[in-house]
Amino acid sequence: MDWLWWLGAALLLVAIEVVTLDLVLLMFAGGAVAAGIANALGAPFPVQIVVFAVVSVLLLVSIRPWLLRHLRDRVPLVETNAAAQVGRLALVVEDVDVHGGRVKLSGEVWSARTAHEGMLMPTGAEVRVMRIDGATAVVDHASAAAPVRADAAAPSPGRVVQRFAAHPRLHRPKENA
């Protein structure tokens, strides 16, 4: 009957995983199930602990990366906070050069600087946010290509359309100043 404790632990870990969505506690739940099976087969408690640890680590290094990769392929990553500002257009409200300035970005005034030495963005110019350094937007000409995340593979255009067609509630972020 001690195997029920392992099953209870697995269920608790799965319940917490539903909130965190990191796929780490799910791997520990798999280890708890394996330890429960070892208990049901009559293994002593130290062996159950070893089974729990070994199975959890094996799941973490083998199954979790595969699950994360396939999850990211199916669901588009939604950037939040400062990362969501990268690639957006902004309006210069105070001349911006390599040393500083101000832009209006998503309805807020941000400190900004240019991406390249010798560049000057005059007040009223439209610029594109290339990256965020702390609380400073690093900007370039609005005609500059939007930066691509280094860790994201560029999907084919048809794949992007399929993603948005499959998820009608999802939309591309608006570029506003």
Side-chain angles (χ1 to χ4, degrees), residues 27-47:
M27 303 302 117
F28 289 145
V33 168
I37 292 170
N39 179 280
L41 294 174
F45 188 70
V47 172

Side-chain angles (χ1 to χ4, degrees), residues 20-43:
T20 63
L21 296 175
D22 283 335
L23 300 179
V24 172
L25 296 178
L26 187 62
M27 303 302 117
F28 289 145
V33 168
I37 292 170
N39 179 280
L41 294 174

